[in-house]
Amino acid sequence: MKKSNILILIIIVLLTSCKKEQESTQNTEHNFLNTAIESYLKDQKNIHEIPGFALAVIKNNETIYKGYFGVENMETNKKVDSSTIFHVFSVTKLIAATTIFKLIEEGKLTLEDTIGQYIDDLPLTWQSVTIATLLTHSSGLPDFFYNNKELTDDDMFSLIKQQELLFIQGSQWK
């Protein structure tokens, strides 16, 4: 066997063993991270008496951890899984506010913009409601919640638009 072939063979063996060692180290770090996350989450679930939840950790657009804990229904003890649907309720306020301020940073809207600039076919009294009064819950828009799965989005919006403002924009908050 030529010396150059032996040298190439040695380099291949070294590179292969280094790659396996690197993968092994990454797997160990990954398992440690998963164990640490799960331990913390189980502690928090118990401390705060949370019936059930799901969590994903995303880094650089890649899911590096996914876990399901507890039950989605305490009466049936059905476990939380990838198909569990959670009600988000007021969590949407944080998401909406963050999104609005991101759009403001990008120059796509301002706090003084009105919802009439973005949504067609609104009642006349609703058209001057500003983004700022939406964020501060001082718009006067009625509180509405329709838990009817048979309604289409258009049907629901038609029902909502029939309601009057609860108070003059900016005079109260609710």
Side-chain angles (χ1 to χ4, degrees):
M1 188 178 252
K2 291 184 180 179
K3 287 184 181 182
S4 62
N5 289 345
I6 292 173
L7 184 59
I8 291 172
L9 182 61
I10 291 171
I11 291 171
I12 290 171
V13 168
L14 284 174
L15 288 176
T16 304
S17 65
C18 288
K19 183 175 181 183
K20 285 181 183 175
E21 184 176 316
Q22 182 182 19
E23 287 173 357
S24 174
T25 302
Q26 286 174 344
N27 286 337
T28 302
E29 289 172 4
H30 179 76
N31 290 338
F32 175 76
L33 178 63
N34 283 353
T35 303
I37 290 171
E38 286 182 8
S39 175
Y40 174 78
L41 293 174
K42 286 176 183 175
D43 287 346
Q44 295 305 307
K45 179 187 170 305
N46 293 332
I47 290 168
H48 299 287
E49 299 178 0
I50 302 168
F53 62 93
L55 175 79
V57 177
I58 300 168
K59 181 179 180 182
N60 298 327
N61 292 327
E62 182 181 334
T63 303
I64 61 171
Y65 175 82
K66 190 186 313 183
Y68 306 99
F69 301 87
V71 296
E72 69 175 62
N73 183 323
M74 291 172 42
E75 293 172 6
T76 64
N77 279 329
K78 183 174 188 291
K79 295 207 177 290
V80 172
D81 60 24
S82 63
S83 64
T84 300
I85 297 174
F86 294 96
H87 296 284
V88 292
F89 299 111
S90 289
V91 173
T92 60
K93 293 174 187 170
L94 176 63
I95 296 166
T98 301
T99 303
I100 286 169
F101 279 99
K102 183 71 175 157
L103 292 170
I104 289 170
E105 281 181 350
E106 294 172 3
K108 295 180 178 175
L109 59 81
T110 71
L111 289 173
E112 293 77 31
D113 288 353
T114 64
I115 61 174
Q117 290 174 245
Y118 301 98
I119 304 171
D120 295 329
D121 195 30
L122 287 174
L124 186 59
T125 56
W126 291 31
Q127 291 180 15
S128 64
V129 169
T130 66
I131 303 294
T133 59
L134 285 175
L135 287 171
T136 59
H137 305 280
S138 61
S139 67
L141 288 175
D143 189 14
F144 43 81
F145 177 74
Y146 293 100
N147 193 14
N148 184 335
K149 294 179 177 146
E150 294 174 16
L151 286 177
T152 66
D153 289 344
D154 290 337
D155 292 341
M156 188 174 3
F157 195 51
S158 292
L159 284 172
I160 292 167
K161 291 188 302 186
Q162 293 173 19
Q163 299 182 37
E164 292 295 319
L165 290 176
L166 298 176
F167 50 84
I168 296 170
Q169 180 179 191
S171 67
Q172 301 177 42
W173 65 269
K174 179 177 177 162

